Amino acid sequence: RRFCDAHAKRVKRESARIDEVVQVANVSAPTNQSQVDSAIHVIFAIDFSSSMNTNDVKSRNGKISRWNAVFQCVDSFLDRQLQQQGQKAGDTDDQYQKCVVSVLIFNTESQVLMNRMQLDGDGTCVRMTLKAAEKNHKPKGGTSFSAGFHEASILAAGSHDVNNDRVMVVFLSDGRPGDLQSSAPPDARIPMQTTYRCFGKKYRAAGRYIEKMQSNHMHFNLQLVCLYNEGKEWMEYLAKRYGGTLHNPDLTLDEDDTITRTAPRQTRTNITVLMPDCSTNTSTDDVIEMKVKSSSTIIREKYENARAAGKIISLTASTSMQSSSIRSTFDSISDSVTAMRTARRQERPVIVQADSAMISYEATRMVLVKGASGNKTFAISSGETPNGRRVQISMHPFAQGGLRNVYRMREHTPDSNVLQVGVAKESRHDVKYQERLSFHLETAICQLRAFQYAKSFNKAISKKIENDATLPTIKEITFLCTVVYRLKAPSYPGGFRYLAVENELSGPYQKWNNNCGFVHQSECIECKIAQAFSHFSYERSKQQEMVVDIQGSGSIYTDPQLHSVGKLYGRADQGTSGFEMFFETHKCNFLCHLLDLPDR
């Protein structure tokens, strides 16, 4: 009965509050309309039910409650946005839209903790408000999704007069909704209930409020974070039904906690791993055929001939299932907001899921080469049969980067044996058909350039330590190289889907630095190598370039980014400001001194 009374009061308040929001917007609207038009409104709807008190989130300092973990991650989100906002200040080439943040909590009723607070300066006011809200509220009661979405729709109404309004709702819950049926519809094409009854009274269900926001806002983005599997069925349905993105992180605060908590889940597969050919060195989108076979094509043909002759029985290898932490989930959401603030492209709605069904495709492999004009391009190797390969791609990505969704991938021989296990990467945003290859070229060129710097780094280190037995063993570093698989997919523009493919890394995955100034402060040798390498690349290029975003497993890295004086390496190249951000947090270690790098 208390639930019904609370819900009835909330429904009664809706019309009055929407009128008030519109009146305030009309009265206080700035005269400079472009300032209003450029605002992104991020609404955090956080579950306030009693289960959020559970102390089962693993952190470096022991277990903390789900409530505290979420607020720490929202604070990290704010810090990340403020940091990037500061870097974009004064950059007239990139219209970086302003961001306002609202926070609401819900159980069987809802409460607004923060209403359209603008991120500006160092964000002290916003972050102090958030900290006070975390401290002064203790989760209690049950869970009603309609309460959270209802309040979110009221807050979103404050953006409705904006011509180019962009609203993101980050909806987080750890339980099954008490206001919805026990089971979600089995297919997202089946409409969900539009109302529910409580003690004989009828109320609107959560889906009605989502539909309302979708119809009222030109650019509406829904991010659903499921902290506990009890509510996953409904969260997954809502993501599919309303084009949202579902995140299902582990109950760990940071990636390091995920790594130390348990060994990666292992699966054994019959496999032969083929490394892409990095020896071949793009700006055109032309698909051409090479007249010389690549080394990978030759290896593949040798494999098939050997298997046909009965000379290969089986090879075994292990692949690890990567998991994500709560903070990395919020980092991914932050990347989505950054994309909304800097671009006009629509993000693809996806469900981020560790394991999902595999879909089969016919595919053609393309490699990075130097074209006739001297520019790098992706080309079909001589001897490659168009659509002659058989691959499987996971239905849902298992991870997200700043620009790409990451899928599991398997390639099969004609007799259905696994030939290669890898990961396939695709843009998080809709890409024009004309840009289908140029998007992947940015990544491939960065990886090739980083690979070249890594060879120089290995050589320089080797010269220094070969006669000094007191130094620890320094493993040679390398970067995975990218090829593109063109999948036959009639539902995609042009009839094809283009994915960048790499071998899957095994073992713990670690990010050592990023392209926004973050530098991991671990004292382990792997961390020191990564930071020294970034510093080395800057000096090796005579202060013209720097390899950052160093991440991977052990000494094998993937997905690097380069900063350059001329901003030559795509949309994430931050130029000289990228150099400055790195050196603000970098502390030279013994490897920097060993290589005689200047202390900056």
PDB file of all heavy atoms in Angstrom, residues 199-218:
ATOM      1  N   PHE A 199      -2.714  -3.126  -5.785  1.00  0.00           N
ATOM      2  CA  PHE A 199      -3.883  -2.957  -4.924  1.00  0.00           C
ATOM      3  C   PHE A 199      -5.072  -2.365  -5.683  1.00  0.00           C
ATOM      4  O   PHE A 199      -5.732  -1.440  -5.231  1.00  0.00           O
ATOM      5  CB  PHE A 199      -3.548  -2.078  -3.712  1.00  0.00           C
ATOM      6  CG  PHE A 199      -2.588  -2.719  -2.750  1.00  0.00           C
ATOM      7  CD1 PHE A 199      -1.271  -2.327  -2.722  1.00  0.00           C
ATOM      8  CD2 PHE A 199      -3.023  -3.718  -1.893  1.00  0.00           C
ATOM      9  CE1 PHE A 199      -0.383  -2.920  -1.847  1.00  0.00           C
ATOM     10  CE2 PHE A 199      -2.132  -4.312  -1.011  1.00  0.00           C
ATOM     11  CZ  PHE A 199      -0.816  -3.914  -0.983  1.00  0.00           C
ATOM     12  N   GLY A 200      -5.283  -2.910  -6.901  1.00  0.00           N
ATOM     13  CA  GLY A 200      -6.448  -2.523  -7.678  1.00  0.00           C
ATOM     14  C   GLY A 200      -6.285  -1.257  -8.496  1.00  0.00           C
ATOM     15  O   GLY A 200      -7.165  -0.914  -9.293  1.00  0.00           O
ATOM     16  N   LYS A 201      -5.196  -0.528  -8.331  1.00  0.00           N
ATOM     17  CA  LYS A 201      -4.977   0.699  -9.095  1.00  0.00           C
ATOM     18  C   LYS A 201      -4.035   0.433 -10.267  1.00  0.00           C
ATOM     19  O   LYS A 201      -3.139  -0.402 -10.182  1.00  0.00           O
ATOM     20  CB  LYS A 201      -4.402   1.799  -8.201  1.00  0.00           C
ATOM     21  CG  LYS A 201      -5.364   2.272  -7.110  1.00  0.00           C
ATOM     22  CD  LYS A 201      -4.757   3.428  -6.317  1.00  0.00           C
ATOM     23  CE  LYS A 201      -5.724   3.927  -5.248  1.00  0.00           C
ATOM     24  NZ  LYS A 201      -5.152   5.061  -4.477  1.00  0.00           N
ATOM     25  N   LYS A 202      -4.263   1.165 -11.357  1.00  0.00           N
ATOM     26  CA  LYS A 202      -3.474   0.967 -12.567  1.00  0.00           C
ATOM     27  C   LYS A 202      -2.455   2.104 -12.717  1.00  0.00           C
ATOM     28  O   LYS A 202      -2.779   3.272 -12.531  1.00  0.00           O
ATOM     29  CB  LYS A 202      -4.380   0.927 -13.795  1.00  0.00           C
ATOM     30  CG  LYS A 202      -3.646   0.607 -15.106  1.00  0.00           C
ATOM     31  CD  LYS A 202      -4.560   0.684 -16.303  1.00  0.00           C
ATOM     32  CE  LYS A 202      -5.597  -0.422 -16.296  1.00  0.00           C
ATOM     33  NZ  LYS A 202      -6.395  -0.416 -17.563  1.00  0.00           N
ATOM     34  N   TYR A 203      -1.197   1.728 -13.078  1.00  0.00           N
ATOM     35  CA  TYR A 203      -0.134   2.703 -13.274  1.00  0.00           C
ATOM     36  C   TYR A 203       0.599   2.415 -14.587  1.00  0.00           C
ATOM     37  O   TYR A 203       0.583   1.298 -15.088  1.00  0.00           O
ATOM     38  CB  TYR A 203       0.871   2.652 -12.114  1.00  0.00           C
ATOM     39  CG  TYR A 203       0.264   2.904 -10.757  1.00  0.00           C
ATOM     40  CD1 TYR A 203      -0.107   1.831  -9.932  1.00  0.00           C
ATOM     41  CD2 TYR A 203       0.060   4.191 -10.293  1.00  0.00           C
ATOM     42  CE1 TYR A 203      -0.675   2.046  -8.685  1.00  0.00           C
ATOM     43  CE2 TYR A 203      -0.504   4.430  -9.040  1.00  0.00           C
ATOM     44  CZ  TYR A 203      -0.867   3.347  -8.254  1.00  0.00           C
ATOM     45  OH  TYR A 203      -1.426   3.568  -7.024  1.00  0.00           O
ATOM     46  N   ARG A 204       1.269   3.429 -15.115  1.00  0.00           N
ATOM     47  CA  ARG A 204       2.068   3.240 -16.325  1.00  0.00           C
ATOM     48  C   ARG A 204       3.317   2.415 -16.025  1.00  0.00           C
ATOM     49  O   ARG A 204       3.965   2.609 -14.999  1.00  0.00           O
ATOM     50  CB  ARG A 204       2.513   4.593 -16.894  1.00  0.00           C
ATOM     51  CG  ARG A 204       1.393   5.431 -17.481  1.00  0.00           C
ATOM     52  CD  ARG A 204       1.954   6.716 -18.037  1.00  0.00           C
ATOM     53  NE  ARG A 204       0.914   7.561 -18.617  1.00  0.00           N
ATOM     54  CZ  ARG A 204       1.133   8.738 -19.163  1.00  0.00           C
ATOM     55  NH1 ARG A 204       2.375   9.218 -19.195  1.00  0.00           N
ATOM     56  NH2 ARG A 204       0.148   9.444 -19.669  1.00  0.00           N
ATOM     57  N   ALA A 205       3.671   1.537 -16.947  1.00  0.00           N
ATOM     58  CA  ALA A 205       4.878   0.724 -16.793  1.00  0.00           C
ATOM     59  C   ALA A 205       6.090   1.471 -17.340  1.00  0.00           C
ATOM     60  O   ALA A 205       5.967   2.489 -18.039  1.00  0.00           O
ATOM     61  CB  ALA A 205       4.708  -0.619 -17.507  1.00  0.00           C
ATOM     62  N   ALA A 206       7.270   0.952 -17.041  1.00  0.00           N
ATOM     63  CA  ALA A 206       8.526   1.628 -17.370  1.00  0.00           C
ATOM     64  C   ALA A 206       8.664   1.938 -18.861  1.00  0.00           C
ATOM     65  O   ALA A 206       9.165   2.995 -19.250  1.00  0.00           O
ATOM     66  CB  ALA A 206       9.703   0.774 -16.899  1.00  0.00           C
ATOM     67  N   GLY A 207       8.224   1.002 -19.700  1.00  0.00           N
ATOM     68  CA  GLY A 207       8.390   1.184 -21.143  1.00  0.00           C
ATOM     69  C   GLY A 207       7.704   2.429 -21.679  1.00  0.00           C
ATOM     70  O   GLY A 207       8.181   3.049 -22.643  1.00  0.00           O
ATOM     71  N   ARG A 208       6.600   2.832 -21.057  1.00  0.00           N
ATOM     72  CA  ARG A 208       5.881   4.028 -21.519  1.00  0.00           C
ATOM     73  C   ARG A 208       6.752   5.272 -21.366  1.00  0.00           C
ATOM     74  O   ARG A 208       6.719   6.178 -22.202  1.00  0.00           O
ATOM     75  CB  ARG A 208       4.582   4.195 -20.714  1.00  0.00           C
ATOM     76  CG  ARG A 208       3.561   3.085 -20.931  1.00  0.00           C
ATOM     77  CD  ARG A 208       2.846   3.230 -22.271  1.00  0.00           C
ATOM     78  NE  ARG A 208       2.045   4.445 -22.332  1.00  0.00           N
ATOM     79  CZ  ARG A 208       0.793   4.547 -21.872  1.00  0.00           C
ATOM     80  NH1 ARG A 208       0.224   3.496 -21.305  1.00  0.00           N
ATOM     81  NH2 ARG A 208       0.125   5.686 -21.978  1.00  0.00           N
ATOM     82  N   TYR A 209       7.531   5.321 -20.291  1.00  0.00           N
ATOM     83  CA  TYR A 209       8.380   6.497 -20.054  1.00  0.00           C
ATOM     84  C   TYR A 209       9.592   6.508 -20.990  1.00  0.00           C
ATOM     85  O   TYR A 209      10.043   7.573 -21.420  1.00  0.00           O
ATOM     86  CB  TYR A 209       8.823   6.524 -18.590  1.00  0.00           C
ATOM     87  CG  TYR A 209       7.655   6.640 -17.633  1.00  0.00           C
ATOM     88  CD1 TYR A 209       7.314   5.601 -16.779  1.00  0.00           C
ATOM     89  CD2 TYR A 209       6.876   7.791 -17.597  1.00  0.00           C
ATOM     90  CE1 TYR A 209       6.238   5.694 -15.919  1.00  0.00           C
ATOM     91  CE2 TYR A 209       5.786   7.904 -16.733  1.00  0.00           C
ATOM     92  CZ  TYR A 209       5.474   6.854 -15.902  1.00  0.00           C
ATOM     93  OH  TYR A 209       4.389   6.956 -15.052  1.00  0.00           O
ATOM     94  N   ILE A 210      10.101   5.313 -21.302  1.00  0.00           N
ATOM     95  CA  ILE A 210      11.212   5.247 -22.275  1.00  0.00           C
ATOM     96  C   ILE A 210      10.720   5.722 -23.639  1.00  0.00           C
ATOM     97  O   ILE A 210      11.395   6.510 -24.322  1.00  0.00           O
ATOM     98  CB  ILE A 210      11.775   3.813 -22.369  1.00  0.00           C
ATOM     99  CG1 ILE A 210      12.292   3.349 -21.007  1.00  0.00           C
ATOM    100  CG2 ILE A 210      12.901   3.748 -23.411  1.00  0.00           C
ATOM    101  CD1 ILE A 210      12.758   1.903 -20.984  1.00  0.00           C
ATOM    102  N   GLU A 211       9.543   5.235 -24.042  1.00  0.00           N
ATOM    103  CA  GLU A 211       8.975   5.649 -25.330  1.00  0.00           C
ATOM    104  C   GLU A 211       8.745   7.155 -25.372  1.00  0.00           C
ATOM    105  O   GLU A 211       8.952   7.806 -26.403  1.00  0.00           O
ATOM    106  CB  GLU A 211       7.665   4.898 -25.574  1.00  0.00           C
ATOM    107  CG  GLU A 211       7.854   3.412 -25.816  1.00  0.00           C
ATOM    108  CD  GLU A 211       6.552   2.636 -25.735  1.00  0.00           C
ATOM    109  OE1 GLU A 211       5.492   3.283 -25.518  1.00  0.00           O
ATOM    110  OE2 GLU A 211       6.591   1.402 -25.877  1.00  0.00           O
ATOM    111  N   LYS A 212       8.312   7.711 -24.250  1.00  0.00           N
ATOM    112  CA  LYS A 212       8.070   9.148 -24.167  1.00  0.00           C
ATOM    113  C   LYS A 212       9.365   9.922 -24.404  1.00  0.00           C
ATOM    114  O   LYS A 212       9.397  10.910 -25.159  1.00  0.00           O
ATOM    115  CB  LYS A 212       7.493   9.481 -22.789  1.00  0.00           C
ATOM    116  CG  LYS A 212       7.176  10.964 -22.567  1.00  0.00           C
ATOM    117  CD  LYS A 212       6.567  11.153 -21.187  1.00  0.00           C
ATOM    118  CE  LYS A 212       6.247  12.618 -20.924  1.00  0.00           C
ATOM    119  NZ  LYS A 212       5.647  12.807 -19.576  1.00  0.00           N
ATOM    120  N   MET A 213      10.470   9.481 -23.773  1.00  0.00           N
ATOM    121  CA  MET A 213      11.750  10.159 -23.968  1.00  0.00           C
ATOM    122  C   MET A 213      12.252   9.992 -25.396  1.00  0.00           C
ATOM    123  O   MET A 213      12.809  10.922 -25.984  1.00  0.00           O
ATOM    124  CB  MET A 213      12.773   9.631 -22.957  1.00  0.00           C
ATOM    125  CG  MET A 213      12.498  10.084 -21.526  1.00  0.00           C
ATOM    126  SD  MET A 213      13.783   9.614 -20.338  1.00  0.00           S
ATOM    127  CE  MET A 213      13.387   7.883 -20.082  1.00  0.00           C
ATOM    128  N   GLN A 214      12.054   8.816 -25.962  1.00  0.00           N
ATOM    129  CA  GLN A 214      12.480   8.604 -27.343  1.00  0.00           C
ATOM    130  C   GLN A 214      11.737   9.516 -28.311  1.00  0.00           C
ATOM    131  O   GLN A 214      12.320  10.048 -29.262  1.00  0.00           O
ATOM    132  CB  GLN A 214      12.267   7.142 -27.747  1.00  0.00           C
ATOM    133  CG  GLN A 214      13.276   6.190 -27.137  1.00  0.00           C
ATOM    134  CD  GLN A 214      13.048   4.756 -27.577  1.00  0.00           C
ATOM    135  OE1 GLN A 214      11.904   4.311 -27.748  1.00  0.00           O
ATOM    136  NE2 GLN A 214      14.115   4.018 -27.786  1.00  0.00           N
ATOM    137  N   SER A 215      10.439   9.712 -28.085  1.00  0.00           N
ATOM    138  CA  SER A 215       9.644  10.542 -28.996  1.00  0.00           C
ATOM    139  C   SER A 215       9.906  12.032 -28.787  1.00  0.00           C
ATOM    140  O   SER A 215       9.796  12.822 -29.725  1.00  0.00           O
ATOM    141  CB  SER A 215       8.152  10.243 -28.822  1.00  0.00           C
ATOM    142  OG  SER A 215       7.720  10.594 -27.507  1.00  0.00           O
ATOM    143  N   ASN A 216      10.270  12.425 -27.565  1.00  0.00           N
ATOM    144  CA  ASN A 216      10.466  13.842 -27.263  1.00  0.00           C
ATOM    145  C   ASN A 216      11.855  14.359 -27.576  1.00  0.00           C
ATOM    146  O   ASN A 216      12.054  15.570 -27.686  1.00  0.00           O
ATOM    147  CB  ASN A 216      10.176  14.114 -25.780  1.00  0.00           C
ATOM    148  CG  ASN A 216       8.699  14.100 -25.461  1.00  0.00           C
ATOM    149  OD1 ASN A 216       7.867  14.092 -26.364  1.00  0.00           O
ATOM    150  ND2 ASN A 216       8.355  14.078 -24.188  1.00  0.00           N
ATOM    151  N   HIS A 217      12.816  13.447 -27.718  1.00  0.00           N
ATOM    152  CA  HIS A 217      14.201  13.893 -27.859  1.00  0.00           C
ATOM    153  C   HIS A 217      14.821  13.336 -29.135  1.00  0.00           C
ATOM    154  O   HIS A 217      14.825  12.126 -29.358  1.00  0.00           O
ATOM    155  CB  HIS A 217      15.011  13.489 -26.629  1.00  0.00           C
ATOM    156  CG  HIS A 217      14.453  14.062 -25.368  1.00  0.00           C
ATOM    157  ND1 HIS A 217      14.623  15.371 -25.001  1.00  0.00           N
ATOM    158  CD2 HIS A 217      13.676  13.507 -24.394  1.00  0.00           C
ATOM    159  CE1 HIS A 217      13.994  15.597 -23.864  1.00  0.00           C
ATOM    160  NE2 HIS A 217      13.404  14.491 -23.483  1.00  0.00           N
ATOM    161  N   MET A 218      15.331  14.249 -29.933  1.00  0.00           N
ATOM    162  CA  MET A 218      15.892  13.890 -31.222  1.00  0.00           C
ATOM    163  C   MET A 218      17.029  12.881 -31.085  1.00  0.00           C
ATOM    164  O   MET A 218      17.167  11.948 -31.862  1.00  0.00           O
ATOM    165  CB  MET A 218      16.403  15.157 -31.915  1.00  0.00           C
ATOM    166  CG  MET A 218      16.867  14.953 -33.350  1.00  0.00           C
ATOM    167  SD  MET A 218      17.686  16.440 -33.993  1.00  0.00           S
ATOM    168  CE  MET A 218      16.527  17.713 -33.510  1.00  0.00           C
TER     169      MET A 218
END
